[in-house]
Amino acid sequence: MRYFISILIFITLIYPSDCISYNTSNGTSYNCDCTEESWESYYSYMAGCWLPNANLESADLKWVNLEGAYLVGADLRYAQLVTANLTNANLVNANMVNANLNWVNLENANLKGTDLRYANLENANLVMANLEGANLVNAKMKNSNLLN
């Protein structure tokens, strides 16, 4: 049993986390310390956080700065993201059903395949945002800026 635990510890130390590996192979600089387990200690300045597949359902993230954050596959259903900064954020395949994104800044964000059904995107800035394959059924988009 000791042998097994020793090997497990050794393997854990040798292999870096997904975030570190991703940063190394893609030339990015995501904040690997800001994760699903620790994001609350970074609130409201969460720029560059590493949050793939994070469960942030119903989270109160008003006024948060998630600029350049990695939120691929994140669950943001019913989240309150009023006036949030998501500039350059990667939200590919994120679930944002019924999210409140009123006055959000999504400039140059990647929303490819994101589910935005019933989301409130009123007054949102979506300039240069990638909306390819995004589901906007019944989304409220009054006064949203969609210029490219």
Side-chain angles (χ1 to χ4, degrees):
M1 185 63 161
R2 286 185 191 171
Y3 183 70
F4 175 73
I5 293 173
S6 298
I7 289 175
L8 186 62
I9 291 170
F10 181 71
I11 290 171
T12 304
L13 294 174
I14 289 176
Y15 293 102
S17 73
D18 290 342
C19 178
I20 294 168
S21 298
Y22 188 89
N23 281 340
T24 303
S25 62
N26 293 292
T28 56
S29 57
Y30 289 107
N31 181 355
C32 299
D33 295 326
C34 180
T35 63
E36 183 176 7
E37 292 79 28
S38 65
W39 70 267
E40 291 177 280
S41 63
Y42 286 85
Y43 183 82
S44 72
Y45 186 74
M46 296 168 61
C49 280
W50 179 257
L51 298 163
N53 303 308
N55 183 3
L56 299 170
E57 182 179 355
S58 301
D60 186 357
L61 298 168
K62 295 178 190 131
W63 293 95
V64 71
N65 182 358
L66 280 161
E67 183 174 353
Y70 189 89
L71 291 150
V72 172
D75 184 357
L76 290 156
R77 289 174 294 159
Y78 301 97
Q80 295 296 317
L81 288 153
V82 177
T83 64
N85 180 7
L86 287 156
T87 303
N88 297 312
N90 190 344
L91 290 148
V92 171
N93 295 324
N95 186 347
M96 301 180 91
V97 173
N98 285 304
N100 188 354
L101 299 154
N102 201 9
W103 292 99
V104 72
N105 186 359
L106 285 159
E107 187 170 342
N108 205 39
N110 191 353
L111 297 158
K112 188 174 185 175
T114 299
D115 194 349
L116 290 156
R117 287 175 295 147
Y118 301 96
N120 181 358
L121 286 155
E122 293 182 15
N123 302 297
N125 179 10
L126 291 154
V127 172
M128 299 300 292
N130 180 359
L131 292 165
E132 181 183 347
N135 188 344
L136 292 158
V137 172
N138 291 318
K140 296 175 187 167
M141 299 186 71
K142 184 177 179 183
N143 296 322
S144 291
N145 186 353
L146 294 163
L147 294 176
N148 276 332

